Amino acid sequence: MSNYQKAIFNETTNTFNVTEFTITDWSNVQVLKGSIKKALEKTSNDIDIVVSFGKKLWETLNPAIKPAQLKDFATLQGKNGYSMPATQADLYFRIIGNDTALVLDQTIHIQEAVAKVAEVAISENGFIYKDHRDLTGFVDGSANPKEEKKYPAALIADGEIGAGGSYVFHQKWIHNLAKFNELPQAVQEKIIGRTKPDSIELEGDDMPKDSHVSRTDAKHDGVAMKIWRRSFPYGNAKERGLFFISYACDPFRVDIQLDRMLGNTEDGVSDQIMNYSEAVTGGYSFAPSVEDLTTALQ
């Protein structure tokens, strides 16, 4: 699986931007391709980019390669009154680096490159918060598969359509930190399912069934539904939260976690975290292998 977009697994950066676009002019495929190729020209060697495509755009650019599970995200309604909205876009860029100015330069370059064919749906900047913590104060991404195990979790397997590519899910969450921070640390830990200072997973009777860890640590037919998370915190005086990003070999791995969070499984249990954080966007896309991307943009 050496053909994947290398930036998917880059863990060395500390400043980020995600910008999602909707296509406004579908009339000329070659113009679309040229605009995206221009957008992918790096303004600095010190930044990296992951590009991914919604179903309609990918099938427009490369109709010969149709990953079997690629789909648009649909709004999810939970049994217990929670919901997750769909804000499906067409074109997604994740820009990463260690210099805010350079990430911004690339973000602006991308926007200008596609301005004649696409408009910005959402653009969010993020950062590493302290020692890789969410703004709730808990370490984020502790359950990521380690070392070589991340590749089969995140990438479509060799021999399958779209091999070396990845199904990507973007979802912006807004935290109610004032409400969460009113709680004693012991209660917060029950909500998350980990200790706050050192991120040790709770065990046995100490682990509630409705903790975030319990709801997202999913198995199906005995197989752990592992995904590769690349989420980042964002925040300012007005709004604070987490921009959730995941890469998976099959979007079912994300679907089952979302259903478990919403309480849409047989046990009917929802994730406690949804009392303190609200999903406000949601979209699936496909991050093709370098080879498939090159073919698509020819």
Side-chain angles (χ1 to χ4, degrees), residues 28-285:
N28 190 317
V29 175
Q30 286 306 125
V31 171
L32 273 175
K33 291 182 178 183
S35 298
I36 296 167
K37 286 175 69 174
K38 179 68 175 176
L40 289 171
E41 294 176 358
K42 290 186 180 182
T43 56
S44 168
N45 290 328
D46 292 325
I47 61 95
D48 221 339
I49 306 168
V50 179
V51 63
S52 58
F53 304 86
K55 185 175 188 294
K56 180 180 178 181
L57 180 56
W58 178 250
E59 292 181 352
T60 298
L61 298 175
N62 195 346
I65 301 293
K66 294 184 178 181
Q69 307 304 322
L70 183 56
K71 60 183 179 180
D72 289 339
F73 184 65
T75 295
L76 300 176
Q77 298 292 340
K79 292 179 181 178
N80 300 321
Y82 303 109
S83 63
M84 294 180 179
T87 55
Q88 183 65 49
D90 299 305
L91 179 61
Y92 297 74
F93 292 90
R94 182 167 72 93
I95 305 142
I96 61 177
N98 289 304
D99 186 315
T100 302
L102 296 181
V103 170
L104 177 60
D105 286 346
Q106 186 69 46
T107 302
I108 293 170
H109 168 76
I110 289 170
Q111 185 274 322
E112 292 177 343
V114 302
K116 292 183 178 180
V117 296
E119 63 182 13
V120 175
I122 184 172
S123 187
E124 195 66 65
N125 297 316
F127 46 83
I128 295 293
Y129 182 64
K130 298 182 178 178
D131 52 340
H132 294 270
R133 292 179 185 265
D134 176 58
L135 297 182
T136 58
F138 285 82
V139 174
D140 184 53
S142 297
N144 258 347
K146 304 298 187 289
E147 299 177 350
E148 296 301 309
K149 292 181 180 179
K150 63 191 177 187
Y151 300 108
L155 301 176
I156 298 172
D158 290 341
E160 296 184 16
I161 297 173
S166 182
Y167 296 101
V168 190
F169 183 59
H170 285 188
Q171 189 176 48
K172 179 181 174 180
W173 290 80
I174 299 176
H175 293 340
N176 186 338
L177 290 179
K179 183 178 179 182
F180 187 80
N181 289 337
E182 287 177 349
L183 303 172
Q185 180 174 304
V187 176
Q188 293 179 0
E189 291 176 341
K190 293 286 189 180
I191 292 168
I192 301 300
R194 289 183 177 274
T195 57
K196 194 169 188 176
D198 44 13
S199 195
I200 297 173
E201 189 170 303
L202 304 183
E203 296 181 348
D205 293 339
D206 290 331
M207 174 70 87
K209 293 181 179 179
D210 56 358
S211 73
H212 184 58
V213 169
S214 293
R215 301 318 296 166
T216 57
D217 187 15
K219 289 186 177 181
H220 181 72
D221 292 337
V223 178
M225 297 288 98
K226 292 293 185 180
I227 57 176
W228 178 245
R229 294 170 174 83
R230 291 286 84 201
S231 307
F232 59 77
Y234 68 91
N236 50 53
K238 184 178 180 180
E239 183 179 281
R240 294 165 286 278
L242 183 77
F243 203 104
F244 178 76
I245 304 169
S246 69
Y247 297 90
C249 59
D250 186 334
F252 177 76
R253 294 190 172 204
V254 177
D255 292 342
I256 193 171
Q257 291 190 17
L258 299 182
D259 279 337
R260 286 176 58 82
M261 290 181 70
L262 288 162
N264 291 344
T265 45
E266 289 184 3
D267 58 13
V269 177
S270 298
D271 192 330
Q272 285 193 74
I273 198 67
M274 298 189 70
N275 293 318
Y276 306 93
S277 191
E278 178 186 8
V280 294
T281 74
Y284 274 120
S285 58

